[in-house]
Structures are given as C-alpha cells and as structure tokens.
Amino acid sequence: MELLREKDHVFLDFDGPVCDVFARLPASEVADRLQRLIEPEVIASSDPFDVLRFAASCGPNAAHVVERQLTRFEGEAVALISPAPGIAEVLRDWRAQGFTVTVVSNNSVDAIRSFLGLHDLVEFVRGISARTTSDPALLKPQPALLDAAVTALGTSPVQCVMVGDSAADILAARAAGVTSIALAKTPAKRRALGALHPDALVTDVADLRLAP
Ligand SMILES: [Mg+2]
C-alpha cells in the first residue's frame, strides 16, 4: 500500500475494519429496540444510526435517550465478537513501520475501548475519536471526529489517511482534507465505494500491510 507510506497517521474506522460490531446482536434488532423508545414515531430502517438521527430530529431528549441505549447495546454487542481476521497483524505492521493509529468511529468510545481491551489491541492504538454525544452532526459523514483526531495528534490533515468501509468514511475524509482508503470486501461495496472515488480501494485488510 504505497499511499500509506507518504503518511504518518492512520485513522481507522471501527465497525468493519476492526470487527463486525453487530454480528451477534443484529443491527436490525438494535434498531427495532431503539425505535420502541421513541414510539409512536416509527421509521422504516434496520440501521441503529438512522434511528439515532431520527430521534435527534425529534429533539435533544429523544436523542439522548436513544444514544444512551445504543451505547448499552454496543457494549453488549462487542462483548460477543472477535477482531476481524488479519486486523491484529495489520496493526502490528503499522506500529512497526512507525505509524500512529487513531480509531475514528461513530460507535461509542466506551464500546471501542472495551473491545480493544478485551482483545489486547490497546497497545496498537494511540487514540480513539468516537461518539460521545447524541448529536449526529458530530458523526461521520461530517468531519468533526477526524478534525478532533488531527488536533489531538498536533498534526495536519495531509499527514493522515482514513481507512473505512462505508460511504460516510470517504465523505468525512474528503470534508476533513484527509486522504481516504476504502476497504471494500464485497463486489457491492466495491461498486458503492468506488463510485465515491476514494484515493485508494482495497478488498482485504491484509492489503493494508506495508511489510510483504
Ligand atoms: Mg465501518
């Protein structure tokens, strides 16, 4: 991955590259349970973050209640899963090559910290820039989490690269002035993310290693 060599800091999305957060506690079930908090309003989505965005449009109280419960569900969800195959090796490689890694994620800081601790990945991660409030404007695809990561490192966006598996990662990177690498493991993802013209696209986490 030549593009990485020009950078100092990797911003790594959590859900997808590091683990599949809702593999065991399905996202659709979480979305369904969150919707019950804001009944009688119901939206047709199986994405918990759509429910959070909808709750935020109802007002700060609804958003707060949904966000707190989403944080609990995320904590439950990450206790049931393992790291994505190959990611530990990639993190080890990046550290050996002198990169810093910041997890930049719409998931809650607590869930991410707990998962990294459970799987001995803390030592590979310099920082976590992730959800701490119920305000969707602070989540990807907005650039706020990346901006905060740049500031925390005392660097500039051009020294950073964002690795993520969704459109929100590519769009947030562009808005923050950060180079983007799309991780697209399926043909559908390759089409969807390729259409957004990330700076690079890989189909396997192992492709993110620098050492052969
Ligand atoms: Mg993701």
Side-chain angles (χ1 to χ4, degrees):
M1 176 43 68
E2 284 305 310
L3 196 154
L4 273 174
R5 289 189 191 280
E6 306 159 11
K7 308 296 177 185
D8 298 322
H9 308 288
V10 179
F11 295 167
L12 183 63
D13 177 35
F14 183 66
D15 190 7
V18 178
C19 61
D20 183 356
V21 171
F22 296 110
R24 302 285 300 279
L25 177 59
S28 55
E29 189 183 324
V30 171
D32 192 54
R33 286 157 76 179
L34 292 177
Q35 297 216 23
R36 289 179 213 160
L37 298 171
I38 46 174
E39 276 177 338
E41 306 280 359
V42 177
I43 59 161
S45 176
S46 58
D47 181 346
F49 287 93
D50 285 345
V51 182
L52 176 60
R53 283 185 203 97
F54 178 77
S57 75
C58 299
N61 288 341
H64 180 73
V65 168
V66 167
E67 196 275 335
R68 286 293 85 200
Q69 191 60 37
L70 174 57
T71 296
R72 286 186 204 104
F73 285 140
E74 287 170 326
E76 280 178 43
V78 300
L80 301 171
I81 56 169
S82 299
I87 191 63
E89 290 73 16
V90 170
L91 289 169
R92 192 168 290 116
D93 173 66
W94 284 345
R95 186 177 63 175
Q97 305 287 335
F99 293 95
T100 80
V101 173
T102 302
V103 174
V104 177
S105 169
N106 286 355
N107 293 119
S108 75
V109 166
D110 292 346
I112 294 163
R113 191 176 287 131
S114 129
F115 180 84
L116 296 176
L118 275 171
H119 298 284
D120 297 324
L121 298 174
V122 173
E123 62 182 307
F124 301 113
V125 172
R126 170 75 65 90
I128 300 172
S129 186
R131 196 183 78 244
T132 56
T133 79
S134 59
D135 184 357
L138 299 178
L139 302 180
K140 297 177 285 185
Q142 304 303 320
L145 294 172
L146 288 79
D147 295 342
V150 168
T151 302
L153 290 162
T155 186
S156 76
V158 296
Q159 296 306 117
C160 307
V161 57
M162 174 82 216
V163 177
D165 72 334
S166 68
D169 297 304
I170 311 306
L171 298 174
R174 187 164 299 143
V178 168
T179 296
S180 59
I181 300 177
L183 172 63
K185 296 183 192 176
T186 66
K189 281 263 184 183
R190 284 198 278 284
R191 277 192 298 275
L193 297 183
L196 296 172
H197 306 294
D199 295 288
L201 187 146
V202 298
T203 57
D204 192 295
V205 282
D207 298 337
L208 295 164
R209 291 174 67 165
L210 286 147

